[in-house]
Amino acid sequence: MPLWMSLLALASVSGQFATAPKPVISLQPPWTTAFQGESVLLTCNEFPINSPRETTWFYQNQGSQTSSTTPGNTRVVQETGKYQCQHNGSSLSGSVHLIFSSAALILQAPLSVFEGDTMVLRCLRRPGSALKTTTIYKNWEAQVPLRDGSDFRVHGAMLRDNGQYHCKADNESCCSVVSNTVEIQVQELFPHPQLTASPSQPTDGSPVNLTCETRLPPQRSDVQLQFCFFREGQALGSGCSSSPELQILAMRSEDTGSYWCQAQTVTLSVSKKSLRSYIHVRRAVPSVQIHTRPPQGSVFEGQELVLVCSVRGVPGPISVSWYRRSKVRVATEIALSRDAEFRIPTVKSSDAGKYYCEANSIPSTEVTIHMRVPVSHPVLTLSPPGSRATEGDVMTLRCEAQRGSLPILYRFFHEDALLKEIKATSWRKSSFRLPLTAEHSGSYYCTADNGLGPQHSAAVTLSVRVPVSHPVLTLSPPGAQAPEGDEMTLRCEAHRGSLPIQFRFFHEDALLKEIKATSWRESSFRLPLTAEHSGNYYCTADNGLGPQRSAAVTLSVIVPVSRPVLTLRAPGAQALVGDTVELHCEAQTGSPPILYRFYHNGVTLGSSSAPSGGGVSFNLSLTAEHSGNYSCEADNVLGAQRSEVMPLSVTVPASRPVLTLRAPGAQALVGDTVELHCKAQTGSPPILYRFYHDGVTLGNNSAPSGGGVSFNLSLTEEHSGNYSCEADNGVGTQRSEVVTLSITGLTGSRGGHVATGVTGVLLSLVGLAAVLLLFYYWLPGRAGGRPACDASSSSSHSDPQEPTYHNVPAWLEMQPVYSNVNPKGGDVVYSEVCHVQGRNKRAAAPTARLPEDKDSSVIYSQVKVYTPGSRSQLSASSAPHR
Ligand SMILES: *[C@@H]1O[C@H](CO)[C@@H](O)[C@H](O)[C@H]1NC(C)=O
Ligand SMILES: *[C@@H]1O[C@H](CO)[C@@H](O)[C@H](O)[C@H]1NC(C)=O
Ligand SMILES: *[C@@H]1O[C@H](CO)[C@@H](O)[C@H](O)[C@H]1NC(C)=O
Ligand SMILES: *[C@@H]1O[C@H](CO)[C@@H](O)[C@H](O)[C@H]1NC(C)=O
Ligand SMILES: *[C@@H]1O[C@H](CO)[C@@H](O)[C@H](O)[C@H]1NC(C)=O
Ligand SMILES: *[C@@H]1O[C@H](CO)[C@@H](O)[C@H](O)[C@H]1NC(C)=O
Ligand SMILES: *[C@@H]1O[C@H](CO)[C@@H](O)[C@H](O)[C@H]1NC(C)=O
Ligand SMILES: *[C@@H]1O[C@H](CO)[C@@H](O)[C@H](O)[C@H]1NC(C)=O
C-alpha cells in the first residue's frame, strides 16, 4: 500500500478533517535562515482565513520554553529557535525552526516546498565580506555556479529535488567558506486520488456514481484541480472536469472492467492517478411483479386503478402485457422504464378479479382486486334518547353506517374533539358508553371511514344537567347586626348546577323573593331594613333536579333609640324636702340594651341599663339642692338621645319664725312706734307672715323672695300683751314664740282706758326720757358698743335651737330689743330688753339721771306664765312647764 493511502486512511480514521485545522506559520521574508540582527515577521495563518483577536506564541531554544500573546496574528522575531503558534480554541501549529546566523555565508531556503512549486534557494554573503563566486551543492555535489545573482531556482519542484543543500564561496586571499546546510523535503501537493464506486457492486441497468477523492493542504486550498475518469484506458464522459464525481445512469453488464481516475492541476504541473478499481456489473435475476395503486385492499368503485408491472433483470427491449383472470389480455406495451403502468380510469364493480402481468413472457404473480363499497354517511344515536341528561347518567353513543365495506373506522367527536376511535370489522356499527359529567354537554357527531376519507354524521346536541349544589346565603355588609334603615344585600350562590336556577329567599320560613338566574349561579337583591327584618334567613336553589337549601343566617336589625321621655313622680302635688321622687326615663323605640343616664343641671346623677327594653327608674330623696332642671339620655349602639328638660322645684317648709320687737327706747311708751319683725330662717318663698296680738290678727305681710317682714305699731295702752307671728309658705304654718310687751308708764289697772290728756303729758315725759335714753345709747353704739345682756341670767342662751337676735344686725346696737326667749323646759317666757352698754365715758351721764339704770343693764319687765288656754295657741313653739 502506498504511503499516501495509509496517511489518508489514518487521517480519516483519526477524524482530522472534522476537527479545527492546525494553523500554519508563514514568514516574511520567506527564509528560515537570516543574518543575526535581521528580523522576520511571523504570521499565524488559519484556514479558512480568520482574523483572530490575539495569538499565543510558543518559543523554544536549547531546552528553555516561553510563551507570549500578541494582538492580531503576527509577531516579529530575531532569535534562533523553534516557534509555534496557537489561536484561542485552535490546535497548535507545526513548529518552525528559525536560524539567525552569525556566519559570513548563509544558504536561505523557504519553509516549505510543494510539488510543482518553483523552489528558490538563496546563497547570501554577509555584506562587507570579501567573498566571491558562490556554488550551490546538492547532496555535496556541485550544481551550477551562481554567476550574477545568488538565487538558485528549480521550476516545477518534484520529490526528486529532495536533498541537502549548501553553498560555498571563495575567500580571495586563501580558502573557501561553506554555508549552512539546508534539508529540502518537497511535499506532496495532494495525495494520489482514490476512486470509489457507489454502489461498489452494481447490477445490470442500475446507476453508479464514481468519485475521485484527494485533498489539498490548507495553505494551498486555492489550487484548482481537474478530475478525469478512465475505463480500460478510455476516458469516460466528456473529458476532464472540475467535478470529482461522475454519474453513470445505467451500468450494463458490458461495463464490467477496470476503472481509474486522475487528479491534476489546471497547469498540469502535478498530475496523479488513482489505483485501478475493478467494477463488476452483476447480471440481474429476472423478476416480474405486479402491484396496484391504490393497494389492492382499498380499491373503491369509481376510482382510478393503476396496475404496475415492475420488471427487473429482464434484458430489453421489454414487452409488458396485463392479463385478467386466466389469459385474458387487457393490454400490451413496450416498457420504456422498468415500471410499466396500466390505468383503469374509473373502476367498476365488474372490474373486480385477479390480474397479473408478463414481461417478455415472464409472468408475475397474481393480484386480486376486491371492489370496496364506500361507507355511507353514518347516523349517531344516543341512548337513552333525548337531548337532555343528568350528570352521572351513562349514555351510550352508537354510530352506524348503512352501507360500506368492512373494516370501518368509526370516530366519535365531542365539540370537534376526538372522543373515541373504534375499528369495526364485523358490523357496520360501533358504540361505547360514556358516564356523563357536566363537561359532556355540547354537540356530538361521528365519522365512518373505510378508506375514502371520513363520512360525517349529523350533529346531535346533548345537554347534561348538573344538580344544583347547596347554595350559600351571604349578607352584605356582613355581620349579624345591621341598623334599621340600612340596605342589606342578600346573595344566594350555588357552586355547581345547570342553569337556569330558581333562587328563593326566605325570612322566618316566609318567601321573601324569587329570582330566576339564567346566566350566573347566583342571585341577589337589596332589602331596606326595618325592625321587622330581624330573624333567620335562608335561600334555596332549584334547577328542576330538586331544591337545595342553604344554611340559615341570623340577622338582627338594630333600631335606634327614640327621644326618651322623662317623668318625675312625686308623692304629692309639690315636691317637698324629704320626699322621694322617682325619675322614670323611657324611650318608646330602640333595640336593647339601652343605657339610661340621668342628669341634674347637666351633671350626671347616675345611669342604669335596661337589658331587655322598657324604661328605668331612679329614686331621689329630695333635699333643697335638688331643685333644678332634670333630663335623661337613652343610648344604644346606634347613638344617644336626650329627653326634654323637666324642671323640679323642691319646696322647703317654712321654719319656726322669730318675732322681734323694736322699740325706740329702753322702755316701750305709749305713742312709740314699735316695729314687729318676723322672720323664718328657712322656707321656700313666697312666705306670708301674719302678726298676732293676744291671738288676734294684727295684719299680714308677704315676703315674695324670702327674708323677714316688718309691721309697725303705733303704741297705745291697749298694745300691752302677748305678740306672736306666723310664717306660712303653703306647706304648713309655723308660729313664733310669744313676746310679751308691757308698756311702761301705765298702771296695769288702767287697762288701756287712760284719759288722753293725762296720757299725753305722761307720754311726753316718758317719751322725753326715752329719747334721751336713745340718744345716750345710740351714740355709744355708733362708737362700737355691744348689747351687754347677762348671759348667765338669761335662760334664752341655753336653747341653741331657737336663736335669738340680740347679737345680730346693726339695729340692735342702737335700740333696746324685745325678744322672745324660750326658757328650757318651762312655760315661762322671758322677754328681755338688752341695752347697749357703752364703753366710753358718756355712759356716766345718764346714770346720774336714771339711777335705776346703775345696777343692771337688764330689765325684767314681766314674768309670764302660760295658762292652759294660751298654750293651745302657742303649742307649736312652747316647751312644757317644768
Ligand atoms: C477564548 O474563547 C473563549 C470562547 O470563545 C472565550 O470565552 C475566551 O475568553 C477566549 N480567550 C481568550 C484569551 O481570548
Ligand atoms: C578570508 O581570509 C582572510 C585572510 O586569510 C581572513 O582574514 C578572513 O577572515 C577570511 N574571511 C572569511 C569570511 O573567512
Ligand atoms: C449519485 O450522485 C447523485 C448526486 O450527488 C445522487 O443524486 C445519486 O443518488 C447518486 N447515485 C448513487 C447510486 O449513489
Ligand atoms: C322608687 O320608689 C318607689 C316608691 O316610692 C318604689 O316602688 C320603687 O321600687 C323605687 N325604685 C327604686 C329603683 O328604688
Ligand atoms: C332650667 O331651665 C330653664 C329653662 O330652660 C332655665 O331658664 C333655667 O335657668 C334652668 N335652671 C338651671 C338651674 O339650669
Ligand atoms: C291680709 O290682710 C288683708 C287686710 O289687711 C286681708 O284682706 C287679707 O285677707 C289678709 N290675707 C291673709 C292671707 O290673711
Ligand atoms: C316702721 O317704722 C320704722 C321707723 O319708725 C320705719 O323705718 C319702717 O319703714 C316702718 N315699716 C313699715 C312697714 O311701715
Ligand atoms: C300673756 O301670757 C301670759 C303667760 O303666757 C299670761 O299670763 C297673760 O295673761 C297673757 N296676757 C294676755 C293679755 O293674754
Side-chain angles (χ1 to χ4, degrees), residues 292-306 347-348 351 368-374 405 450 452:
T292 65
R293 223 174 37 236
Q296 66 186 101
S298 35
V299 181
F300 289 89
E301 264 182 81
Q303 280 186 311
E304 180 193 65
L305 175 63
V306 182
V347 73
K348 297 186 288 288
D351 292 328
T368 307
I369 303 296
H370 297 288
M371 212 55 66
R372 284 175 66 76
V373 179
S405 305
N450 67 349
L452 280 184

Side-chain angles (χ1 to χ4, degrees), residues 694 721-722 740 864-867 870:
D694 289 339
N722 294 336
T740 303
K864 294 171 188 169
V865 176
Y866 282 107
T867 62
S870 70

